[in-house]
Amino acid sequence: MTTLDSSTTRLMEYIREVLPWAHGHQLKAITTFVAAILDKQSGTQAELARTVGNQEAATKRLSRLIHNQRLAPHDLTTSSFDQHFPYLGPSCSGFGAASPAV
């Protein structure tokens, strides 16, 4: 994945919207590996590294991304939820509430 095609550009724009606080290097790394996940339909580090030319460098990049404390899972989840919640519609107004008995 050495060049940016239109789908990768759209993916980066989407990730930029969902994670507005992420800076350029984080956005590029996240986009690269999300695109690899979509392409390979796998989440294994070795499989993802195979999609990015130099496997050793890709493995190091992925490891740094995974261990980056600024990309805490809670922050990513909250940011994603905040971005998507308005589109869920009124049927989700009871989100988190107990379901009525049937």
Side-chain angles (χ1 to χ4, degrees):
M1 205 168 176
T2 57
T3 61
L4 290 178
D5 60 17
S6 64
S7 61
T8 306
T9 302
R10 288 192 308 269
L11 179 60
M12 183 176 274
E13 290 170 358
Y14 172 76
I15 292 170
R16 187 178 293 125
E17 283 183 36
V18 174
L19 307 174
W21 43 264
H23 65 74
H25 292 292
Q26 292 169 334
L27 289 171
K28 185 175 179 181
I30 292 168
T31 301
T32 297
F33 290 110
V34 167
I37 290 168
L38 294 172
D39 180 48
K40 291 295 184 182
Q41 296 292 301
S42 172
T44 63
Q45 188 171 354
E47 190 70 31
L48 298 177
R50 287 188 197 108
T51 65
V52 190
N54 183 336
Q55 290 181 24
E56 185 177 345
T59 300
K60 288 179 183 178
R61 282 181 61 204
L62 181 56
S63 180
R64 281 194 309 269
L65 178 67
I66 290 169
H67 295 96
N68 186 333
Q69 292 181 353
R70 290 184 225 158
L71 298 176
H74 177 73
D75 294 340
L76 293 171
T77 304
T78 300
S79 184
S80 180
F81 180 79
D82 291 346
Q83 182 71 24
H84 294 96
F85 187 72
Y87 300 104
L88 295 177
S91 63
C92 294
S93 61
F95 182 75
S99 300
V102 178

